[in-house]
């Protein structure tokens, strides 16, 4: 079992409704998958690589879910296992999400009734600000404990899917020295807000499908902003794949997006073991 670390060791009193109980829910479409909802106490799940293959690089993974829930498996744990098997330490971030009804039937009805509404979009944007704070803290925590996990402090990146891509992009734009990610990988997700690229913006990798009505416009804006600012950026757009594919296999070229991410990490020099790891 992965170690679970509290993101805020002293709790989040005053930062949210702590009375809610974290719950699992299973969607049946587009295929059966598990999500976690009513997260009030953010955590990091650790997936450390075998020391024999460890590179010293780490990725914080932010699952998606419209800031209402977290697609914890195919956009979180499955990604972490793939990366850790290849020497990259992975940390799945369970960030705070909006409150949802306790009863599954009520939650399901709420999902149907609120889809695409203006009120929902406003709530998502507000919750996104809270989630970005959790993302910033996640980078700080992993960097603070880098020596313990044999990580290079300058090799700690953040990746996110859908709403998690909004979190990752937000951290890449708004950070201090301690919370600056070394690289960022928003996957079919990006900022909805106006983008101001900081002078120290980290290298960016992004992937999505062109038949994704949610992600194309914001992802293109994010890439264009990075490129215009003269910052390193790589963008992969697949013809088919839809939204939310994560680690699902569909028999399409998009299935190999994570291989392209690995190629990109290698090109950045992030898959070569650091002297710190080699001397551990």
């Amino acid at each position: 079992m992965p170690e679970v670390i509290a993101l805020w060791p002293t709790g989040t009193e005053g930062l949210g409704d702590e009375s809610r109980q974290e719950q699992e829910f299973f969607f049946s479409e587009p295929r059966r998958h598990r999500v976690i909802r009513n997260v009030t106490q953010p955590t990091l799940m650790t997936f450390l690589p075998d020391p024999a293959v460890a590179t010293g690089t780490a990725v914080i993974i932010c699952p998606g879910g419209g800031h209402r829930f977290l697609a914890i498996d195919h956009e979180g744990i499955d990604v972490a296992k793939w990366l850790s098997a290849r020497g990259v330490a992975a940390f799945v971030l369970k960030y705070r999400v909006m409150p949802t009804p306790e009863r599954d039937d009520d939650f399901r009805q709420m999902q149907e009734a609120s889809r695409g509404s203006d009120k929902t979009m406003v709530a998502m944007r507000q919750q996104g600000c809270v989630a970005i704070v959790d993302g910033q803290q996640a980078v700080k925590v992993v960097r603070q404990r880098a020596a313990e996990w044999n990580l290079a402090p300058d090799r700690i990146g953040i990746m996110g899917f859908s709403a998690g891509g909004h979190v990752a992009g937000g951290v890449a734009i708004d950070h201090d020295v301690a919370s600056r990610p070394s690289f960022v990988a928003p996957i079919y997700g990006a900022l909805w807000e106006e983008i101001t690229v900081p002078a120290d913006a980290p290298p960016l990798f992004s992937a999505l499908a062109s038949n994704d009505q949610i992600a194309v416009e914001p992802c293109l804006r994010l890439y264009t902003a990075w490129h215009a600012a003269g910052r390193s950026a790589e963008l992969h757009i697949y013809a088919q794949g839809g939204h939310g594919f994560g680690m699902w296999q569909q028999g399409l070229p998009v299935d190999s997006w994570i291989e392209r991410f690995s190629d990109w990490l290698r090109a950045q020099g992030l898959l070569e073991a650091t002297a710190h790891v080699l001397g551990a």
Side-chain angles (χ1 to χ4, degrees), residues 114-146:
S114 61
R115 185 170 287 128
S117 71
D118 291 341
K119 184 177 180 180
T120 298
M121 291 304 298
V122 170
M124 285 174 61
R125 290 173 188 271
Q126 292 173 340
Q127 189 65 39
C129 295
V130 175
I132 289 170
V133 171
D134 287 344
Q136 294 165 336
Q137 178 68 4
V139 176
K140 290 180 181 179
V141 167
V142 175
R143 185 162 282 136
Q144 287 167 358
R145 298 182 63 172

Side-chain angles (χ1 to χ4, degrees), residues 19 22 35 41 47 50 56 60 92 95 121 123 139 146 165 173 179 183 214 223 227 248 278:
S19 66
E22 191 173 299
V35 303
Q41 296 300 311
F47 294 82
D50 185 321
I60 295 160
V92 178
Y95 54 87
M121 291 304 298
V139 176
I173 284 176
S179 62
F183 55 92
I214 297 173
Y223 169 81
H227 181 72
W248 287 339
L278 291 172

Side-chain angles (χ1 to χ4, degrees), residues 15-206:
L15 299 179
D17 178 7
E18 295 184 311
S19 66
R20 289 179 283 136
Q21 293 297 311
E22 191 173 299
Q23 297 169 266
E24 286 188 349
F25 181 84
F26 288 86
F27 283 106
S28 57
E29 299 294 339
R31 65 178 72 185
R32 182 173 170 82
H33 63 283
R34 179 174 68 115
V35 303
I36 305 296
R37 57 192 184 91
N38 286 331
V39 177
T40 62
Q41 296 300 311
T43 60
L44 284 168
M45 286 187 284
T46 66
F47 294 82
L48 302 179
D50 185 321
V53 298
T55 61
T57 296
V59 180
I60 295 160
I61 303 165
C62 309
H67 292 296
R68 281 190 168 171
F69 52 83
L70 303 175
I72 198 70
D73 292 319
H74 76 288
E75 293 180 349
I77 292 172
D78 295 345
V79 182
K81 289 179 176 178
W82 193 98
L83 290 169
S84 63
R86 290 156 179 81
V88 177
F91 300 83
V92 178
L93 173 61
K94 288 168 65 175
Y95 54 87
R96 285 170 284 173
V97 295
M98 287 186 278
T100 55
E102 183 177 346
R103 293 181 65 249
D104 285 351
D105 286 345
D106 294 339
F107 169 64
R108 191 178 291 106
Q109 290 175 12
M110 183 195 73
Q111 281 289 104
E112 292 297 325
S114 61
R115 185 170 287 128
S117 71
D118 291 341
K119 184 177 180 180
T120 298
M121 291 304 298
V122 170
M124 285 174 61
R125 290 173 188 271
Q126 292 173 340
Q127 189 65 39
C129 295
V130 175
I132 289 170
V133 171
D134 287 344
Q136 294 165 336
Q137 178 68 4
V139 176
K140 290 180 181 179
V141 167
V142 175
R143 185 162 282 136
Q144 287 167 358
R145 298 182 63 172
E148 174 185 344
W149 291 318
N150 270 336
L151 304 175
D154 60 350
R155 286 190 176 195
I156 297 167
I158 189 166
M159 162 187 279
F161 299 80
S162 193
H166 176 258
V167 176
V171 176
I173 284 176
D174 183 13
H175 53 257
D176 58 18
V177 173
S179 62
R180 178 188 179 272
S182 307
F183 55 92
V184 60
I187 309 300
Y188 52 79
L191 294 168
W192 308 303
E193 302 86 351
E194 182 178 343
I195 298 169
T196 302
V197 181
D200 65 346
L204 177 145
F205 174 95
S206 186

Side-chain angles (χ1 to χ4, degrees), residues 82 205 207 234 236 238 253 256-265:
W82 193 98
F205 174 95
E234 182 165 317
H236 295 257
Y238 297 87
S256 65
W257 73 268
I258 198 164
E259 297 281 0
R260 304 292 75 75
F261 176 60
S262 179
D263 292 342
W264 181 81
L265 289 176

